Amino acid sequence: MLSKNAIKYYSTLLHKKYRDRERKFIVEGKRLVIEALNSSLICEIVLVTENFISLESKLVEELKSSHRVEVVKEVDFKRLSDTQSPQGILAVLEMEKLSFIFEPKSNVILAMENISDPGNVGTIIRNADWFGIQQIILSEDCAEIFNPKVLRASMGSVFHLEHAHNIDFYLELTRLKENGYKIIVADMDGENIYNFIKPDKFVIVVCNEAHGPSNKLLEPANAKITIPQKGKAESLNVASASAVILNELTK
């Protein structure tokens, strides 16, 4: 059993300040834990409840063969959980080492500017994974990549992609442009995406649907695209829009 001090320490990782300081984060739920453990990230510990062991004894035995697994009381697990109905399994992982140089590895990169809703960020990451995007860049005012709600909404896709969220967003877009990438910004008054001729190498940038792209983003932009409106809705949710855009531009 873990000590009370250990429970208290791990519970602090529910808060961004402590995640940043300790360079660790919590992944909760059977599916997400498995996805995380199959990634390149280092796992510090896996915590399970007695109830989870009774339901998934084979899985727990498999985990014990390669990871430190500790049993915690239900009441203590709830202190570590960010969900209403916890499944009884979570893992504490170390964040990847900080890198301040982004190295493009594919011809299509996805970027996000000022998307603060964790559910939207996670869903966009999931969409990017579905359409084969390998790298994403997030501005500093986006929801934190290791926010529990982002992790859940991504359905594990966050562990399949390379994400840069600790670099100068606008400087990086400028560097990519200097290296032959076209900066394509999604905006309400852009060119009809279905008429747009996509370049060989480009960065797709999706933005906060309420505010649109910032002037700082529009400076390096080569083109703006939009999904033509047919009905009367005021706007299209940015996560939904990202799926349409990625589907069209990754054909």
Side-chain angles (χ1 to χ4, degrees), residues 30-211:
K30 177 183 172 181
R31 178 172 179 171
L32 276 180
V33 168
I34 292 173
E35 291 278 8
L37 297 183
N38 286 331
S39 73
S40 60
L41 296 175
I42 296 173
C43 175
E44 177 171 311
I45 192 170
V46 177
L47 303 179
V48 295
T49 62
E50 292 285 2
N51 185 57
F52 184 83
I53 293 174
S54 68
L55 297 172
E56 298 283 356
S57 58
K58 184 177 179 180
L59 172 61
V60 173
E61 288 304 312
E62 290 174 356
L63 293 177
K64 285 181 178 179
S65 66
S66 53
H67 299 89
R68 178 189 172 193
V69 178
E70 297 285 351
V71 180
V72 296
K73 296 178 181 177
E74 297 283 347
V75 64
D76 290 329
F77 193 92
K78 288 181 179 178
R79 292 180 59 192
L80 303 169
S81 174
D82 185 64
T83 61
Q84 291 289 335
S85 303
Q87 294 180 19
I89 181 171
L90 63 80
V92 177
L93 293 104
E94 297 180 12
M95 295 183 188
E96 74 276 18
K97 292 182 179 179
L98 286 172
S99 174
F100 298 98
I101 300 175
F102 179 75
E103 298 179 0
K105 297 175 182 176
S106 60
N107 289 341
V108 183
I109 297 167
L110 177 67
M112 298 183 225
E113 183 196 44
N114 188 24
I115 300 177
S116 57
D117 182 82
N120 281 337
V121 170
T123 302
I124 292 168
I125 292 171
R126 185 180 178 187
N127 292 341
D129 188 19
W130 179 265
F131 288 104
I133 301 298
Q134 299 174 20
Q135 294 178 297
I136 56 175
I137 308 172
L138 294 85
S139 65
E140 290 185 358
D141 47 9
C142 282
E144 179 211 6
I145 201 86
F146 298 111
N147 180 304
K149 293 182 176 65
V150 172
L151 294 173
R152 286 199 299 276
S154 82
M155 295 291 286
S157 287
V158 70
F159 302 115
H160 305 161
L161 311 179
E162 180 181 326
H163 37 81
H165 50 94
N166 50 2
I167 59 177
D168 188 319
F169 181 75
Y170 304 100
L171 177 61
E172 198 53 54
L173 291 180
T174 301
R175 286 176 176 167
L176 286 165
K177 185 175 181 178
E178 291 171 351
N179 282 280
Y181 284 82
K182 302 296 183 183
I183 310 302
I184 313 301
V185 177
D187 192 16
M188 290 288 287
D189 64 352
E191 178 183 347
N192 186 326
I193 189 173
Y194 301 114
N195 299 330
F196 181 70
I197 300 174
K198 66 180 181 182
D200 293 330
K201 293 168 60 176
F202 58 97
V203 181
I204 308 166
V205 191
V206 293
C207 317
N208 183 299
E209 63 198 69
H211 304 292

